[in-house]
Amino acid sequence: GNSVTQMEGPVTLSEEAFLTINCTYTATGYPSLFWYVQYPGEGLQLLLKATKADDKGSNKGFEATYRKETTSFHLEKGSVQVSDSAVYFCALSDRDYGQNFVFGPGTRLSVLP
Amino acid sequence: NAGVTQTPKFRILKIGQSMTLQCAQDMNHNYMYWYRQDPGMGLKLIYYSVGAGITDKGEVPNGYNVSRSTTEDFPLRLELAAPSQTSVYFCASSSSGTGPGELFFGEGSRLTVL
């Protein structure tokens, strides 16, 4: 079945540091890939997405590129802020199987001033 | 813009009690989902619905029931609550179209079973 693997957390960085959160996936068909973010006490919200190979999703300074050859969708940001502290979830949706999303376990990021 | 609304936000139950978590969306989405999130874990799909009158089991359906009588509402019923059902529950919705769309989440319902 489909699955998503993320790097273990928690990740602690100083403000303005470079961020990478690794995500790899296993899927049949041609999935769309997503990064969701969950701020403390809130529900998940979409951060960015990519629907086909080599697409780059970007939002709020975050970027991720859909790499089919390595089945990866790593999240990056050049300079993190304290307000980026949250849990980040990688996810996929395989259109061949409808709208069923598969989420990774989440990576908690803490950014220190 | 209400989006996805969940009630209640917090609830404490005793073992064996029953309750219903309410979920409503006002975006005319045909797909709706219930997930649970346990500490340090990702989201697990409990049930989903592809439209009014149609529901199906997800990864962890045992101990839960759902119904979808309207497009807007997708309540989750817990029968005979157990401590293992202590979790945060998220309702979400999405729309069909040319491809998978993004999920819109409610703020969550934190349930504790003692």
Side-chain angles (χ1 to χ4, degrees):
Chain A
N2 297 343
S3 66
V4 173
T5 303
Q6 285 181 241
M7 63 186 292
E8 294 283 336
V11 175
T12 303
L13 295 173
S14 298
E15 205 165 22
E16 299 183 359
F18 184 86
L19 169 71
T20 300
I21 301 177
N22 291 336
C23 172
T24 57
Y25 68 91
T26 302
T28 56
Y30 302 94
S32 293
L33 302 175
F34 304 81
W35 277 101
Y36 278 81
V37 58
Q38 183 182 25
Y39 298 104
E42 299 183 9
L44 282 74
Q45 56 186 276
L46 180 67
L47 179 61
L48 54 83
K49 67 179 180 181
T51 57
K52 62 182 187 295
D54 299 326
D55 269 2
K56 177 185 284 188
S58 61
N59 186 25
K60 299 182 181 180
F62 291 89
E63 293 183 340
T65 301
Y66 189 141
R67 301 287 188 198
K68 189 176 180 183
E69 64 275 13
T70 54
T71 61
S72 65
F73 193 55
H74 304 321
L75 182 68
E76 296 182 336
K77 187 175 185 182
S79 176
V80 294
Q81 305 300 312
V82 172
S83 57
D84 294 326
S85 297
V87 181
Y88 293 82
F89 293 91
C90 187
L92 69 81
S93 178
D94 186 338
R95 65 183 70 199
D96 291 336
Y97 291 88
Q99 294 274 340
N100 297 339
F101 279 68
V102 175
F103 286 85
T107 302
R108 181 176 299 278
L109 170 66
S110 296
V111 181
L112 305 177
Chain B
N1 293 339
V4 178
T5 303
Q6 288 182 237
T7 57
K9 286 187 168 47
F10 302 94
R11 183 73 186 268
I12 298 174
L13 282 181
K14 294 182 180 178
I15 294 172
Q17 287 186 320
S18 300
M19 74 161 298
T20 299
L21 298 177
Q22 301 291 343
C23 176
Q25 54 93 8
D26 62 358
M27 296 173 283
N28 202 33
H29 286 171
N30 50 339
Y31 293 90
M32 295 189 74
Y33 313 81
W34 274 107
Y35 290 92
R36 60 177 287 172
Q37 182 186 27
D38 298 319
M41 305 288 286
L43 279 70
K44 302 291 186 184
L45 182 65
I46 305 171
Y47 270 96
Y48 67 100
S49 169
V50 300
I54 306 170
T55 62
D56 208 346
K57 295 178 180 179
E59 185 179 356
V60 290
N62 291 344
Y64 306 95
N65 278 300
V66 294
S67 60
R68 184 93 182 273
S69 57
T70 67
T71 300
E72 294 79 19
D73 299 301
F74 191 42
L76 177 71
R77 178 82 176 162
L78 281 74
E79 304 282 1
L80 299 175
S84 61
Q85 293 179 303
T86 294
S87 189
V88 180
Y89 292 84
F90 287 101
C91 180
S93 69
S94 68
S95 63
S96 60
T98 57
E102 66 179 273
L103 293 179
F104 293 80
F105 283 85
E107 293 184 355
S109 298
R110 183 175 296 276
L111 175 67
T112 302
V113 182
L114 301 175

